[in-house]
Amino acid sequence: MELTFWLLDPSYTVVEGVPEVRLWGITDDGRRVLVKDRGFRPYFYVLPKREADLSKLKENILALSLPDHPILSVEEVEKKYLGKPVKVLKVTCQQPPSIPTYREKVKRLSSVEEVLEADIRFYIRYMIDNQVEPCGWHQVKVREVPPSEAKGFKVDAVYEALEPPKPLPPAPPPKLKVLAFDIECYSETGTPKPHKDPVIIISVVTNSGDKRHFLADGKDDRKVLEGFVSFVKEFDPDVIVGYNSNFFDWPYLVDRAKKVGIKLDVSREGTEPQPSVYGHYSIVGRGAVDLYNYAEGLTEVKVKTLENVADYLKVMSKDRRTMIEYTELYRYWDDPSKRDLLLKYAMEDAESTFGIAEKTLPFLIQLSNLTGLPLDQVVAASVGFRVEFHLLRHAYLEGELAPNRVERPYSPYRGAIVLKPRPGIHENIAVIDFSSMYPHLMIKYNIGFDSYLPPGEPPPDEGFYEAPEVKHRFKKTPPSLYRRMLEKLLEARAKIREQMKGLDPHSPEYTILDNRQQAVKVLANASYGYLGWVGARFYMKPCAEATAAYGRQTIMKANQLAKEYGLDVIYSDTDSLFVKYEEGKVEEFINRVEKEVEIELKVDKIYSVLFFTEAAKKYAGLLSDGTIDVVGFEAVRGDWCSLAQEVQTRVLELVLKEKSVQAAVRYVQDVVTKLRKGEVPLKELVIWKTLTKSFEEYEVEAAHVTAAKKLLEAGYGLEVGDKVGYVIVKGPSDKLADKAMPYIMVKPEDVDYEYYATRQVVPSALRVLRYFNVKEDELLAGRKQTSLFDFT
DNA sequence: GCGCTAATTATACCT
DNA sequence: ACAGGTATAATTAGCGCG
């Protein structure tokens, strides 16, 4: 029979010595199913040395075969390696776990140059080779496995694939069952530890409208764990989402369940959550998604707490949230009069998580489908790996072998051009930029690891492109794999955007397409950086270096033409030009540049008023709708206290919009006065900085590090990558590092308000106001003198 | 040892 | 673990100095 299903989660196992790929999915009629395929075998490639005798090598490899998990075959196949045709041996084995062993043995054979693609996970290999796509629809010929033989699989039906599934054209995903959860633990001393601290609450929200708590019995958490497990089994979610669940909830639940003797068998094959690739927890048959991974990509949110992210995504407003300090949680559990509040708080966490999932899953589903990484993995994988898996799919289709991942020393190269801005206020400025400059340059000059012509190699008849300055050469034909891949991505995006035009922006069709085009954009934009990443399989520095060099040439050309057209360039960074907007001239200029460099150029924004300091990468501009863009300034940097950010934002508003330096000065003076009187909430004085390495690795004493040490002493778990919130207090010495206190330990009377006045508020205001002759003294003096002139 | 500047370290931003 | 370019603050090293 034929079955149509949408692939949610791939896994595999070895049954009776045979590898079995397991495709967990949802059918077009809404049944949860498992499709098993025992027809696929793991393999790797052997690149022989040039002088090697292939038939001899074949024999030598086969001689390594062990009876328990044999080598099934060694065939000679034609492939390409970095664009060059090669004869390689494909070594097919019986069992995936034997691959690493055979790889090591084969590698040591004298006539072997390299072993390739031995480290690609079995079910990923299966999907690549059969063009099976995660989060995509497929059709497959199957035989149903009788229910009596399918016990232990928590699905509506189990099938055996008679041949590999075939992908179907893109269509909307099925209705997925989504469950969001969050746990609270009981700890009187800092971060809870699973060996001693129980789970007291698990709150759950589902998209069937269910919201409920599971509670511990006092400090006995057996009931809460059991309740949760049986609820998961009963609701049977396709996707389970948490927030920081990879680092907290799942490992904690697993440890706790073990400790109290409860089986956390929440997967669709009755197994526990397992730690897996990219630091994520996998639950077989479901998509376990940690939305913190998604939040890591939101650069606009500086401190990525659940509350902040939910607020930013308009899922749950921050000022309407029930907040309880982590240190206080246990008191709320112990005190019957406060417990309801704790339950409310816990539920709001689950609701926020659920809300974020609703908004982000459609995009993540598209990203999974496009890259070929399973949903749970694609969320956890970094940008580099997303690009890489997408690339692996292309490489396979074109017969290109994937190089091995090797450790390389960091090796930087020259990048883009940034011009110094013209400081001060400007009016009517257009920001013109090249669309997707790097991808288009790579296409135009056929850049790629397979088209690269190393020094000394004779050029082909068809000719080559030679990059400026760096002189790297690339064959003009055939089109590089990178070029074809990027063309596909850019075409796909253009097509999607065309389709979107006819649709209502609020319709589900529109949303799906929008998510798809965003996913495509992510990949296209990261493709240039990937080639210069020393961790990349397809690392090829000359490609990245040449692309950057062409980029410099292109923007320089545009700058030169702007001058010829009488356009005043005020600033330029990488692929953008800020020019005085003169309508006719700008259009003519754009046409000319497009003709010369063959890359689309467009007016991105027009600022009615724009402000620059002497510094590059910082500006603030007023748009016609009255909004102000702030770029690069302290106001958008997460390592300044929010009071200083607020002050700078307001100052920019007063200067750009109200055009009143005087009002800005008065405003700052008022804030300074208030600050000195202690009338500013402590919260606004917290400075957040990331702990980027372990304590021992720091070479100097930094404020956030000393604050972090104090947190650690008090029992709080802190890890590399965490943000430390501290406040500067009147300290034992003048050294700032000695005066930094974790904000949760600070009393308002301890605060060093002079620090905030002289090192936070006034500097951030002065960054702008000093261009209008405002002096530090004036701002610090409080409101006395009336000031100065306006620039208008 | 003191007071200064220059160099180094550390972070977060922009395209 | 996508890239390089840039700004900025704070700490530390280095230097002159009876």
Side-chain angles (χ1 to χ4, degrees):
Chain A
M1 64 176 280
E2 292 275 348
L3 188 74
T4 301
F5 78 106
W6 191 84
L7 176 56
L8 171 66
D9 186 46
S11 68
Y12 96 92
T13 192
V14 178
V15 186
E16 293 152 11
V18 177
E20 179 176 283
V21 172
R22 292 180 173 173
L23 304 171
W24 303 86
I26 299 157
T27 59
D28 46 354
D29 55 356
R31 291 173 306 132
R32 272 60 192 170
V33 296
L34 166 61
V35 177
K36 301 171 164 189
D37 192 343
R38 293 195 179 186
F40 192 68
R41 296 293 176 269
Y43 65 86
F44 57 87
Y45 296 105
V46 178
L47 181 69
K49 282 191 179 146
R50 209 173 332 163
E51 68 284 359
D53 174 346
L54 281 191
S55 50
K56 191 82 183 284
L57 178 56
K58 231 190 240 182
E59 276 173 40
N60 291 343
I61 292 171
L62 278 168
L64 297 170
S65 183
L66 297 165
D68 283 356
H69 41 87
I71 292 174
L72 300 176
S73 66
V74 181
E75 324 156 59
E76 204 178 307
V77 290
E78 309 267 340
K79 301 287 269 185
K80 280 179 282 177
Y81 191 35
L82 300 177
K84 289 215 168 74
V86 285
K87 271 197 184 122
V88 290
L89 297 176
K90 180 180 177 183
V91 180
T92 307
C93 304
Q94 173 68 15
Q95 290 189 23
S98 69
I99 293 280
T101 322
Y102 284 129
R103 172 187 60 195
E104 290 310 311
K105 286 184 175 168
V106 170
K107 218 196 277 182
R108 284 196 284 269
L109 295 174
S110 60
S111 51
V112 170
E113 178 73 40
E114 233 180 331
V115 173
L116 295 166
E117 302 198 7
D119 57 348
I120 294 175
R121 296 166 90 81
F122 181 59
Y123 55 86
I124 297 276
R125 176 89 273 167
Y126 174 89
M127 290 198 291
I128 291 177
D129 290 22
N130 294 303
Q131 279 131 74
V132 166
E133 297 170 358
C135 297
W137 289 97
H138 303 81
Q139 193 156 41
V140 58
K141 281 203 179 67
V142 292
R143 178 182 74 81
E144 181 159 4
V145 176
S148 58
E149 291 170 37
K151 286 195 185 120
F153 299 113
K154 315 270 195 295
V155 286
D156 298 316
V158 177
Y159 300 92
E160 218 173 82
L162 303 175
E163 53 188 54
K166 291 186 181 64
L168 294 170
K175 173 108 180 79
L176 297 171
K177 289 193 279 181
V178 180
L179 180 153
F181 79 107
D182 184 61
I183 74 172
E184 309 297 341
C185 305
Y186 187 96
S187 166
E188 295 173 37
T189 50
T191 307
K193 303 276 185 299
H195 66 87
K196 60 177 178 70
D197 302 318
V199 176
I200 44 177
I201 306 169
I202 300 181
S203 31
V204 162
V205 175
T206 74
N207 65 342
S208 64
D210 215 336
K211 289 183 187 184
R212 58 175 82 186
H213 293 293
F214 300 95
L215 303 182
D217 191 358
K219 288 173 202 168
D220 176 352
D221 55 0
R222 279 175 298 180
K223 256 173 58 189
V224 57
L225 297 174
E226 277 166 0
F228 177 64
V229 169
S230 70
F231 182 80
V232 172
K233 288 179 182 171
E234 182 201 315
F235 177 68
D236 188 30
D238 302 306
V239 179
I240 302 191
V241 298
Y243 194 84
N244 203 24
S245 48
N246 288 337
F247 281 92
F248 186 68
D249 304 56
W250 287 123
Y252 205 95
L253 287 175
V254 168
D255 277 3
R256 230 20 236 177
K258 199 186 224 171
K259 166 107 184 161
V260 300
I262 283 167
K263 197 155 187 246
L264 206 68
D265 49 350
V266 290
S267 86
R268 279 186 168 148
E269 53 180 30
T271 51
E272 304 216 321
Q274 291 292 331
S276 176
V277 279
Y278 316 119
H280 96 293
Y281 266 77
S282 159
I283 297 175
V284 178
R286 314 189 196 276
V289 168
D290 183 348
L291 293 167
Y292 180 75
N293 289 145
Y294 176 84
E296 285 178 308
L298 295 175
T299 50
E300 301 91 329
V301 184
K302 310 297 172 184
V303 182
K304 289 164 178 68
T305 57
L306 177 54
E307 309 80 68
N308 287 353
V309 174
D311 184 77
Y312 173 77
L313 294 174
K314 301 201 187 314
V315 163
M316 190 175 288
S317 168
K318 214 167 144 181
D319 38 66
R320 288 182 45 205
R321 267 224 61 174
T322 311
M323 284 310 293
I324 302 177
E325 283 294 338
Y326 288 117
T327 41
E328 297 295 301
L329 286 174
Y330 75 98
R331 294 187 209 272
Y332 282 71
W333 181 251
D334 287 339
D335 183 346
S337 70
K338 284 177 159 178
R339 197 182 272 197
D340 277 354
L341 210 58
L342 175 60
L343 295 183
K344 189 158 178 272
Y345 163 80
M347 185 50 73
E348 286 180 12
D349 270 358
E351 286 169 338
S352 298
T353 305
F354 181 78
I356 297 169
E358 267 191 317
K359 295 224 166 167
T360 60
L361 275 176
F363 167 73
L364 297 170
I365 284 168
Q366 291 303 325
L367 198 61
S368 162
N369 181 256
L370 189 65
T371 57
L373 275 167
L375 178 65
D376 58 347
Q377 290 183 27
V378 82
V379 183
S382 65
V383 178
F385 289 103
R386 291 174 185 172
V387 172
E388 185 151 288
F389 278 90
H390 178 248
L391 195 52
L392 281 176
R393 290 198 158 234
H394 271 265
Y396 177 81
L397 293 176
E398 314 234 347
E400 181 75 38
L401 290 165
N404 287 318
R405 189 177 291 289
V406 288
E407 263 196 62
R408 299 184 181 88
Y410 172 61
S411 171
Y413 58 88
R414 190 138 87 86
I417 289 176
V418 185
L419 299 185
K420 288 261 159 315
R422 192 174 307 162
I425 291 275
H426 305 275
E427 282 177 3
N428 206 22
I429 301 297
V431 182
I432 306 172
D433 56 23
F434 287 103
S435 6
S436 303
M437 185 176 76
Y438 287 147
H440 279 115
L441 287 170
M442 287 191 273
I443 289 172
K444 184 175 173 189
Y445 297 107
N446 202 34
I447 290 168
F449 46 83
D450 49 348
S451 54
Y452 175 57
L453 197 60
E457 206 162 295
D461 296 341
E462 310 85 78
F464 57 86
Y465 297 107
E466 188 180 80
E469 305 174 78
V470 296
K471 305 287 176 199
H472 299 310
R473 302 178 301 164
F474 299 90
K475 292 177 221 164
K476 283 191 171 173
T477 58
S480 72
L481 191 130
Y482 235 71
R483 173 176 170 179
R484 288 186 300 265
M485 179 191 85
L486 287 169
E487 276 170 345
K488 267 193 194 168
L489 284 175
L490 297 178
E491 275 164 26
R493 180 143 188 261
K495 205 173 127 195
I496 296 167
R497 281 154 70 102
E498 195 55 43
Q499 285 174 298
M500 284 166 65
K501 275 185 189 163
L503 293 171
D504 171 9
H506 299 292
S507 67
E509 294 86 356
Y510 183 96
T511 310
I512 288 174
L513 289 172
D514 194 33
N515 283 306
R516 180 82 182 179
Q517 69 89 13
Q518 281 177 44
V520 173
K521 188 177 156 189
V522 166
L523 286 192
N525 286 348
S527 55
Y528 148 74
Y530 175 82
L531 286 173
W533 172 39
V534 290
R537 273 176 194 276
F538 292 95
Y539 173 69
M540 188 63 75
K541 183 170 158 185
C543 296
E545 207 170 21
T547 307
Y550 276 122
R552 293 192 294 271
Q553 187 185 51
T554 305
I555 195 71
M556 287 309 283
K557 183 79 200 170
N559 266 296
Q560 179 207 322
L561 285 171
K563 209 173 270 173
E564 275 176 36
Y565 278 73
L567 287 167
D568 209 4
V569 178
I570 280 142
Y571 176 59
S572 168
D573 183 352
T574 310
D575 61 354
S576 68
L577 302 158
F578 290 55
V579 303
K580 184 91 187 166
Y581 188 54
E582 296 170 73
E583 209 165 327
K585 264 192 199 173
V586 166
E587 311 313 320
E588 275 175 45
F589 162 73
I590 289 179
N591 286 334
R592 175 72 190 280
V593 177
E594 286 185 344
K595 211 174 130 205
E596 295 252 341
V597 307
E598 299 171 304
I599 294 179
E600 196 199 334
L601 194 63
K602 58 177 194 323
V603 176
D604 185 40
K605 275 178 176 166
I606 294 172
Y607 291 116
S608 54
V609 187
L610 181 64
F611 169 73
F612 277 113
T613 67
E614 276 105 347
K617 300 191 186 276
K618 284 171 196 263
Y619 55 89
L622 178 62
L623 292 163
S624 58
D625 66 357
T627 59
I628 289 183
D629 274 344
V630 180
V631 178
F633 282 119
E634 287 77 0
V636 296
R637 287 184 62 107
D639 55 353
W640 285 71
C641 73
S642 66
L643 179 67
Q645 295 184 308
E646 218 174 278
V647 165
Q648 193 180 54
T649 305
R650 184 76 189 122
V651 164
L652 283 167
E653 247 170 45
L654 289 169
V655 171
L656 296 183
K657 235 168 148 173
E658 314 297 330
K659 301 187 186 301
S660 173
V661 172
Q662 196 180 45
V665 169
R666 284 190 192 153
Y667 163 73
V668 179
Q669 289 168 336
D670 280 352
V671 171
V672 170
T673 308
K674 268 195 193 140
L675 177 67
R676 284 179 169 150
K677 283 199 262 174
E679 287 170 13
V680 174
L682 191 66
K683 212 176 78 202
E684 296 186 30
L685 304 178
V686 180
I687 298 164
W688 293 90
K689 278 198 173 125
T690 311
L691 215 53
T692 60
K693 47 192 160 187
S694 63
F695 292 116
E696 312 84 68
E697 288 171 285
Y698 279 95
E699 298 185 38
V700 293
E701 259 192 284
H704 69 300
V705 181
T706 56
K709 283 179 181 160
K710 288 173 189 162
L711 278 175
L712 212 63
E713 273 167 39
Y716 292 91
L718 263 180
E719 307 206 8
V720 172
D722 286 347
K723 280 223 158 120
V724 183
Y726 64 90
V727 170
I728 299 301
V729 297
K730 296 177 210 119
S733 80
D734 284 344
K735 239 166 83 187
L736 206 59
D738 294 334
K739 299 167 52 148
M741 264 293 203
Y743 80 97
I744 44 169
M745 303 179 184
V746 175
K747 290 190 283 298
E749 61 268 28
D750 301 335
V751 174
D752 180 356
Y753 292 106
E754 272 317 290
Y755 167 80
Y756 285 94
T758 58
R759 302 264 120 183
Q760 291 273 323
V761 171
V762 167
S764 74
L766 219 48
R767 183 87 55 223
V768 180
L769 292 175
R770 77 180 196 85
Y771 290 86
F772 305 97
N773 286 321
V774 176
K775 301 280 180 268
E776 187 185 18
D777 308 352
E778 192 183 355
L779 295 179
L780 278 171
R783 186 99 80 78
K784 266 185 255 146
Q785 315 134 272
T786 35
S787 137
L788 300 185
F789 51 90
D790 289 354
F791 64 87
T792 41

